[in-house]
Amino acid sequence: MSHSEKAAIFNKNEAKVNWHDKALWYVREKRDNAAHGVKGWEYLRDTASKIKGNVLSNLDNYLIEFEANALKNGIKVHWASDAKEHNSIVHKIVKEHNAKKVVKSKSMLTEECHLNPYLESKNIEVVDTDLGEYIVQIAKETPSHIVLPAIHKTKEEVDELFQEHLGTKPSNGNPEYLTNEARKHLRNKFLQADVAITGVNFAIAETGGFVVCTNEGNADMGAHLAPVHIACMGIEKIIPKEEHLGVFLRLLARSATGQPITTYSSHFNKPAKGKELHIVIVDNGRTEQLSREDFRSSLHCIRCGACMNTCPIYRRSGGHSYDATIPGPIGSILSPGKDLTKHSSLPFASTLCGSCSNVCPVKINIHEQLYKWRQLIVKDVKQPVVKKTILKITGKILKNRTSYNLVGKSARFMLKYAPRFMVYSKLNAWGKARELPKVKTQNFDDWYKAKRKNNE
Amino acid sequence: MRVGLFIPCYINQLYPQVAIATLELLEKLNVDVYYPSTQTCCGQPLGNSGYEEDSKGACQLFVENFAAYDYIVGPSGSCIYHVKKHFDIIEQTPDVVKVRNNAFELCEFIVKVLGKTDLGASFPHKVGLHKSCHGLRGLHLGSCSERMDPYYSTEEDLLNNVKGLELMQLNRADECCGFGGTFSVFEEAVSVKMGKDKIQDHLDNGVEVITGADHSCLMHLEGLINRDNKPLKVMHIAEILNSTI
């Protein structure tokens, strides 16, 4: 199903759309307030964008530098070219420790690699410990947003889910009660875990360490309790020096949730005594994206989700309508790079309003890349015959004034004289909820000829 | 100063009153205006749909029609943005470069090139300004709520000088209306919902007339207003700036 079909289904429940829109707009407003508090915000965005540009131009060197320093610190480094290799590396480590229980802190990379179903198929229990992630996990769904994974669920829906899965009492969606119950449940999971898996927000080439940002402290709970910590990172998560962290940490939390700083920015530099620390560095299509000049800056992304919160289409179509690990504007650039045919409708799920590019803390020109993808998709993916024919003919009409005049006149004639049932047929998507313009007797050409004869 | 008047295809055919207001306004400001009679369209509907290859003929024709003028002025931020931003698909001859550099949206031309903001208009109504995305974020006709820049608005500079006009505040002053060219058809459900929300914002803030510098957005909003019989009128900013009592 295309994005528009899924979005149309989501829009059948207008009250839910309004709620979803308002919830995310609230975050966007919080972000605006937080950004206003930083003098030189635009300068900070410029700086972050330049650092990322430098990273992408020297990615190989920074990765090698990172590996050497991480190894020196006693971290075990693994390389995975794709999702399959990533999953089998993680499984191998888990198996070596005879581990049966894994706690995971939110990581979009492991979502992208479908790590959970893979480990579960090997009889390993995986528990997502971020509250939102945990909610979608027990609902057997995927995250609909990268920072607010359960934003598509109301607290009443969560109440029902918890009654079913955790045996909680009906609380009419009391967030405090529900959070406390989840906390008690997850605390046991942390205590029993053999392995903790986390994502990586920033890996620092200069030090060989990395930073994980969470608001619930769940990455720390997992990593500090379990004897083995596996951190999974995409190759683009590298930054050159520790001093650059200040730029990104200031931008990340404000862009994501409007907080001045994420509650926990945890630095991992080496394994604790008697414990193991692994890092899996994953490509999975990223070097291919890097090779596409028009789209390479999409790898600047620090996964703050600001483009989703600001996107009027995302807010009114819900994350699941994108049918991709990363939904919204940035996902609509990243996903076609992985599977052009499957995701061919995503670059069209935008009015190209440009709000995403303006809000992006690392200045990715998102809407311009969406426009570029459209040109490639039309060439490389089979298009609906009607759409293709209409647009090709339009191209021919517009190069010539005589045909343009003729079509203009007949269209106006149709709009003026054709019976309503013909004009407002099923084929007319415009007219489903909108009136067509009321046509005047003259067009501007006619008027001009009559009134301004002496001009050209 | 010779100015070539660019009238976007849909304005020519469906909204001649907008084109007339644009022409009259420029004439009132003593601009030497010419209307090249073989113009068609900037090619944007094709480009935005992924068919920019098929729009090259339209782009060439545009350049042929307008290369001779010092400025090209049109009452549509979106079309002007397309000329400036996407005409890189044809060979960059001196004519093409000249046309791209000298293309101006109407308000921008009046404020920045002519240096005027008080046009002597009067329009005693409560007006809501729809800041169209391509004009706002593409042509920088004003500051955007996402960016931390000093506040400015080219259209507001003009509207604030219209006698009797009361410019109403909106809750989401620069959110997209959901038109988006062929988006309005291929993503019908979301497009309509966005438009409905936009209209509600104007209604909630006591607006009588919605205006803007891009009639394509206004066409979308007007379609919804007329279907739902909402107590709102839609007028292009050129019509308001050209009005007198």
Side-chain angles (χ1 to χ4, degrees):
Chain A
M1 236 194 278
S2 68
H3 176 272
S4 67
E5 288 166 311
K6 290 195 165 195
I9 295 168
F10 186 76
N11 268 270
K12 289 212 162 109
N13 184 349
E14 192 168 355
K16 182 89 185 249
V17 177
N18 289 340
W19 176 82
H20 191 260
D21 170 55
K22 281 206 181 86
L24 289 160
W25 183 257
Y26 171 73
V27 185
R28 154 81 208 272
E29 283 185 318
K30 265 181 79 186
R31 171 262 171 208
D32 290 353
N33 287 337
H36 271 293
V38 177
K39 209 175 154 196
W41 177 260
E42 298 301 329
Y43 175 69
L44 207 56
R45 287 175 73 220
D46 272 335
T47 309
S49 179
K50 282 177 188 155
I51 295 170
K52 281 286 183 179
N54 172 291
V55 165
L56 293 182
S57 300
N58 302 284
L59 193 55
D60 47 351
N61 293 330
Y62 287 129
L63 285 167
I64 291 166
E65 187 187 346
F66 174 77
E67 181 186 38
N69 288 325
L71 288 171
K72 254 188 250 165
N73 297 347
I75 300 175
K76 296 185 186 218
V77 181
H78 312 260
W79 298 85
S81 61
D82 56 19
K84 204 176 147 201
E85 204 176 350
H86 162 264
N87 291 349
S88 61
I89 289 168
V90 172
H91 180 230
K92 199 169 150 251
I93 303 167
V94 171
K95 221 166 99 185
E96 276 166 9
H97 292 85
N98 283 324
K100 286 284 165 215
K101 290 174 191 291
V102 172
V103 284
K104 233 179 74 190
S105 166
K106 200 169 139 38
S107 146
M108 289 316 292
L109 177 66
T110 54
E111 287 289 339
E112 172 189 322
C113 296
H114 305 292
L115 179 67
N116 286 16
Y118 177 84
L119 289 180
E120 280 156 9
S121 76
K122 309 280 181 195
N123 288 321
I124 294 157
E125 182 195 76
V126 194
V127 179
D128 280 310
T129 58
D130 170 278
L131 182 57
E133 248 341 88
Y134 179 68
I135 292 166
V136 290
Q137 188 184 28
I138 60 175
K140 296 197 168 51
E141 292 175 7
T142 54
S144 71
H145 186 290
I146 59 172
V147 175
L148 313 155
I151 192 68
H152 59 290
K153 289 212 173 300
T154 60
K155 48 189 195 298
E156 290 77 17
E157 287 169 331
V158 174
D159 196 331
E160 277 180 31
L161 259 178
F162 278 18
Q163 287 174 46
E164 188 190 331
H165 291 272
L166 301 181
T168 52
K169 292 179 204 134
S171 72
N172 208 9
N174 179 338
E176 205 180 345
Y177 169 71
L178 293 170
T179 311
N180 270 328
E181 289 300 304
R183 183 175 289 162
K184 276 190 241 162
H185 176 80
L186 288 170
R187 186 143 299 194
N188 281 327
K189 297 291 178 190
F190 280 123
L191 289 165
Q192 294 160 3
D194 308 308
V195 170
I197 296 176
T198 69
V200 169
N201 287 91
F202 306 100
I204 302 127
E206 183 191 34
T207 64
F210 59 93
V211 175
V212 184
C213 303
T214 68
N215 272 325
E216 297 164 21
N218 50 322
D220 308 65
M221 290 273 276
H224 294 165
L225 287 165
V228 181
H229 174 190
I230 308 171
C232 305
M233 66 174 261
I235 52 170
E236 82 285 15
K237 292 285 168 140
I238 207 101
I239 59 171
K241 291 171 189 288
E242 204 159 37
E243 69 193 52
H244 297 140
L245 266 176
V247 174
F248 291 103
L249 290 176
R250 293 176 84 196
L251 287 167
L252 177 67
R254 289 183 173 87
S255 300
T257 54
Q259 295 165 265
I261 189 85
T262 320
T263 315
Y264 299 88
S265 299
S266 310
H267 299 243
F268 297 93
N269 285 307
K270 57 184 177 191
K273 250 195 192 139
K275 292 192 180 184
E276 274 183 29
L277 179 50
H278 296 257
I279 188 147
V280 190
I281 303 172
V282 186
D283 182 337
N284 203 32
R286 285 163 176 75
T287 43
E288 209 182 338
Q289 188 79 339
L290 188 67
S291 73
R292 299 177 179 115
E293 207 186 320
D294 288 334
F295 305 107
R296 72 188 313 218
S297 77
S298 61
L299 297 172
H300 287 193
C301 179
I302 56 171
R303 303 290 191 265
C304 67
C307 62
M308 293 159 207
N309 303 338
T310 203
C311 179
I313 288 99
Y314 177 91
R315 276 190 267 108
R316 291 178 183 83
S317 55
H320 285 150
S321 66
Y322 293 80
D323 196 16
T325 307
I326 313 275
I330 183 68
S332 301
I333 305 173
L334 294 170
S335 308
K338 298 213 156 153
D339 186 340
L340 193 61
T341 307
K342 184 187 170 198
H343 300 296
S344 67
S345 70
L346 297 186
F348 295 90
S350 164
T351 55
L352 307 178
C353 78
S355 184
C356 47
S357 305
N358 270 352
V359 92
C360 178
V362 283
K363 293 189 93 170
I364 304 170
N365 57 338
I366 303 176
H367 73 295
E368 292 173 10
Q369 295 187 34
L370 291 170
Y371 181 89
K372 291 269 182 193
W373 266 130
R374 293 181 184 189
Q375 315 307 323
L376 295 175
I377 284 164
V378 160
K379 280 190 198 118
D380 295 343
V381 182
K382 205 167 176 280
Q383 293 298 302
V385 183
V386 178
K387 184 178 174 183
K388 189 173 175 167
T389 315
I390 291 176
L391 287 160
K392 291 247 169 215
I393 292 173
T394 307
K396 293 206 169 95
I397 293 166
L398 295 179
K399 342 189 230 217
N400 178 303
R401 181 63 184 197
T402 318
S403 57
Y404 167 83
N405 278 347
L406 193 70
V407 171
K409 280 209 164 64
S410 15
R412 286 191 307 116
F413 183 85
M414 273 289 287
L415 281 176
K416 205 164 171 63
Y417 299 109
R420 193 172 170 90
F421 77 89
M422 252 177 81
V423 177
Y424 291 89
S425 72
K426 263 192 183 161
L427 292 170
N428 177 4
W430 175 277
K432 231 171 119 182
R434 288 165 290 213
E435 288 297 299
L436 284 151
K438 289 190 183 86
V439 179
K440 315 272 183 309
T441 347
Q442 280 184 320
N443 64 9
F444 178 65
D445 287 332
D446 299 335
W447 181 91
Y448 194 84
K449 264 181 219 148
K451 306 276 183 184
R452 296 286 192 279
K453 274 184 200 140
N454 299 330
N455 241 319
E456 339 202 319
Chain B
M1 182 203 295
R2 283 163 53 88
V3 168
L5 177 65
F6 163 49
I7 297 301
C9 48
Y10 70 98
I11 291 184
N12 184 358
Q13 304 300 337
L14 305 172
Y15 300 98
Q17 75 276 19
V18 174
I20 295 165
T22 306
L23 175 66
E24 288 180 352
L25 195 59
L26 290 169
E27 285 171 344
K28 263 187 216 169
L29 296 165
N30 294 321
V31 174
D32 202 5
V33 198
Y34 299 85
Y35 178 61
S37 61
T38 54
Q39 59 178 291
T40 58
C41 163
C42 65
Q44 183 180 196
L46 295 162
N48 279 6
S49 310
Y51 289 84
E52 66 176 16
E53 270 304 305
D54 294 294
S55 76
K56 283 182 173 171
C59 300
Q60 293 287 7
L61 183 61
F62 188 97
V63 173
E64 282 165 30
N65 271 308
F66 288 105
Y69 299 98
D70 300 317
Y71 293 98
I72 299 103
V73 178
S76 164
S78 188
C79 307
I80 296 292
Y81 173 70
H82 190 75
V83 171
K84 294 181 100 61
K85 177 84 190 166
H86 293 300
F87 271 30
D88 49 2
I89 51 165
I90 52 175
E91 196 197 331
Q92 297 302 292
T93 62
D95 276 353
V96 175
V97 175
K98 184 183 169 200
V99 164
R100 293 177 79 181
N101 284 338
N102 297 335
F104 278 84
E105 184 280 324
L106 178 67
C107 298
E108 192 186 19
F109 178 75
I110 293 172
V111 173
K112 287 195 189 151
V113 180
L114 302 181
K116 290 185 180 162
T117 46
D118 189 349
L119 312 185
S122 58
F123 190 76
H125 296 283
K126 290 179 174 169
V127 171
L129 173 63
H130 174 59
K131 297 182 177 178
S132 295
C133 305
H134 284 174
L136 185 70
R137 299 189 183 88
L139 296 175
H140 310 294
L141 294 185
S143 49
C144 319
S145 58
E146 307 93 16
R147 287 182 53 100
M148 304 300 132
D149 298 325
Y151 189 86
Y152 73 99
S153 164
T154 308
E155 297 116 302
E156 283 176 24
D157 286 349
L158 291 165
L159 290 172
N160 282 331
N161 278 300
V162 175
K163 222 181 279 163
L165 186 147
E166 195 182 342
L167 196 56
M168 310 309 283
Q169 294 293 315
L170 298 173
N171 300 336
R172 297 186 188 180
D174 59 9
E175 190 186 29
C176 174
C177 70
F179 173 65
T182 47
F183 177 88
S184 63
V185 173
F186 296 119
E187 284 267 3
E188 192 264 348
V190 180
S191 170
V192 164
K193 178 63 182 148
M194 287 165 72
K196 277 171 68 178
D197 290 352
K198 194 88 226 176
I199 288 164
Q200 197 55 49
D201 194 359
H202 285 272
L203 285 171
D204 290 346
N205 288 288
V207 168
E208 295 164 4
V209 180
I210 303 182
T211 193
D214 207 320
H215 214 77
S216 51
C217 308
L218 299 180
M219 173 170 75
H220 164 66
L221 296 175
E222 189 181 50
L224 287 161
I225 288 166
N226 288 346
R227 174 64 60 90
D228 298 340
N229 292 315
K230 298 282 187 197
L232 272 168
K233 254 190 94 171
V234 162
M235 283 172 85
H236 191 273
I237 194 163
E239 296 177 87
I240 291 182
L241 297 176
N242 192 43
S243 56
T244 43
I245 306 175

